[in-house]
Amino acid sequence: MSATAFLRAEDAPLPPAGGGGTKMMVDLRAELPGLFSYSTWEGKYTVTASGHAILGGKGAQGNGGLGREIVPAMDLSGVVFVEVALGTLPGNEVPEITIALNDADGTQVSARVPVDQLVPGQPVWLRARREKFQLNGIEPGRDSQMDWTQVVRWHLQGDWTTQRPMQVIFVALRTRR
């Protein structure tokens, strides 16, 4: 059975343009130029009308990620939440996903969001408070200080503490004031 049988794009409505302090960062329901993947997700995702499916049946595990440069840089200094729309698929064994952001000097911060209690095939918006993002010691940049006015890259990652099968469809990433 294909991933699209479980998750339809219309099940995770996207916000209206400019409505309520919400701003779309990326709609993942189409092929994206410049998208990169790494570790166990490299070449292990499928683009569907519902979003980017990370499939354990293809070898994707918790220790992987995908992302894209943001051009021009986004100012997220006034943002309260960074939200990701996603749905799990049957067989997902990864308990959390990570949202990571980089600033212009290479500093990376990340926040983890639990997905282990989601009902498979029921996409939802999950949010991370901006102040909950923590410095990634592996990518501290030049100054180890996140410049929220110059966010130049986003990543969606699995839970790197596990090498279990990842079965998730990422639909979109947005911010909310």
Side-chain angles (χ1 to χ4, degrees), residues 4-155:
T4 55
F6 296 104
L7 198 61
R8 297 183 329 238
E10 57 270 17
D11 291 334
L14 299 178
T22 301
K23 183 174 182 179
M24 184 64 63
M25 289 180 72
V26 63
D27 183 345
L28 294 162
R29 296 176 298 172
E31 188 73 44
L32 296 173
L35 189 72
F36 56 86
S37 59
Y38 47 92
S39 193
T40 67
W41 294 11
E42 189 169 355
K44 306 292 181 3
Y45 67 89
T46 300
V47 181
T48 72
S50 299
H52 282 61
I54 310 302
L55 303 173
K58 288 187 165 194
Q61 300 170 353
N63 58 336
L66 58 86
R68 185 173 179 214
E69 302 298 320
I70 302 170
V71 179
M74 290 183 78
D75 180 352
L76 302 184
S77 60
V79 165
V80 176
F81 299 104
V82 177
E83 301 175 326
V84 59
L86 64 84
T88 60
L89 298 170
N92 179 58
E93 295 182 29
V94 177
E96 296 179 316
I97 62 104
T98 301
I99 303 168
L101 304 167
N102 289 73
D103 70 9
D105 80 356
T107 303
Q108 184 180 94
V109 293
S110 61
R112 296 173 81 169
V113 180
V115 298
D116 57 345
Q117 298 299 309
L118 298 180
V119 175
Q122 301 295 317
V124 296
W125 283 102
L126 300 172
R127 59 175 48 168
R129 277 196 174 275
R130 197 191 79 179
E131 70 256 13
K132 298 292 183 181
F133 280 78
Q134 297 179 351
L135 178 67
N136 176 345
I138 297 170
E139 293 187 44
R142 284 194 305 263
D143 62 5
S144 298
Q145 298 294 316
M146 182 65 174
D147 180 356
W148 288 98
T149 66
Q150 292 292 311
V151 177
V152 298
R153 184 180 309 125
W154 59 264
H155 301 256

